Amino acid sequence: PEYEYGPSSYDIRHNFVVNGVYQLPFFKDGGGFAAALLGGWQVGGVLQFTSGLPFTPFLSYDQVGDGQSDAGTHKPNVNGEVNYTKTEEQWFDPSVYSVPAAGVFGNATRNSLRAPGLKIADLSLIKNMAFGRYRAQFRLEAFNAFNWVNFGLPNSTIFDVGGVRNPEAGRINTTSTPARQIQLGFKFMF
């Protein structure tokens, strides 16, 4: 059991989310062309910042030699404190890890590393319109509006077969969110 003790795979230590909608006060009351064109606007948004998910360093082969189907989930030895360089080329420094002796489980614990955090801002601009008893909305929405890059999980395989150090260890090759997306929409309520 000690071998698998550690944070859960969905442990996000910090999560900050703010959202809001503000109805612009201009031309709320009144008639005419100006009120129809400039009134009924609202802005909204969701801002989210989270800390990174935990992940586990691994060996890609069965160093223990137990013949179980869990080959590739064995852990290396950790010989000191892991330094985070926090670049996409090398999120963490894998040189602190070593291959355990044959037949021995490594001392690295489950989910002992942390991936990059997440930051997202989704914004909207909405024009509300009324046509008698009917309502309509014109919507402009931007997801990841500031186009922040959110890195995915780093490569967690420290050693390949034979104890060869994986040159890709710690490298990030994916993103966890898409790039900015903008959409226009029209909603008719009856």
Side-chain angles (χ1 to χ4, degrees):
E2 301 85 31
Y3 187 65
E4 289 301 317
Y5 181 79
S8 69
S9 296
Y10 50 86
D11 175 39
I12 298 175
R13 295 287 168 99
H14 305 97
N15 188 22
F16 177 77
V17 180
V18 174
N19 63 53
V21 175
Y22 180 68
Q23 187 127 10
L24 298 174
F26 315 114
F27 298 98
K28 278 180 79 171
D29 299 320
F33 181 74
L37 183 63
L38 301 174
W41 288 94
Q42 69 184 43
V43 293
V46 178
L47 182 66
Q48 178 180 10
F49 296 99
T50 67
S51 57
L53 288 168
F55 66 101
T56 306
F58 288 115
L59 306 173
S60 69
Y61 61 100
D62 184 9
Q63 176 69 9
V64 175
D66 60 2
Q68 299 295 313
S69 63
D70 63 352
T73 62
H74 292 214
K75 300 171 189 76
N77 281 331
V78 60
N79 305 310
E81 186 175 338
V82 177
N83 293 315
Y84 288 87
T85 53
K86 295 188 177 183
T87 67
E88 63 184 289
E89 296 298 319
Q90 190 175 69
W91 183 253
F92 65 94
D93 182 6
S95 67
V96 73
Y97 294 99
S98 64
V99 176
V104 177
F105 289 100
N107 67 1
T109 58
R110 176 182 188 270
N111 287 335
S112 56
L113 297 171
R114 287 278 169 176
L118 181 77
K119 57 183 179 179
I120 297 177
D122 298 333
L123 303 175
S124 65
L125 177 65
I126 298 171
K127 167 70 170 148
N128 293 302
M129 299 166 279
F131 305 102
R133 66 183 185 104
Y134 301 107
R135 302 275 181 260
Q137 283 184 340
F138 172 75
R139 305 174 67 93
L140 172 63
E141 298 168 315
F143 303 98
N144 193 9
F146 301 118
N147 208 25
W148 288 324
V149 177
N150 291 295
F151 294 127
L153 288 174
N155 186 321
S156 61
T157 303
I158 309 297
F159 293 100
D160 289 323
V161 176
V164 176
R165 191 172 293 278
N166 177 9
E168 294 289 312
R171 184 183 181 99
I172 299 174
N173 294 318
T174 62
T175 57
S176 61
T177 58
R180 178 189 306 119
Q181 295 177 337
I182 298 174
Q183 70 181 23
L184 295 172
F186 183 77
K187 184 177 182 180
F188 184 69
M189 294 162 279
F190 54 94

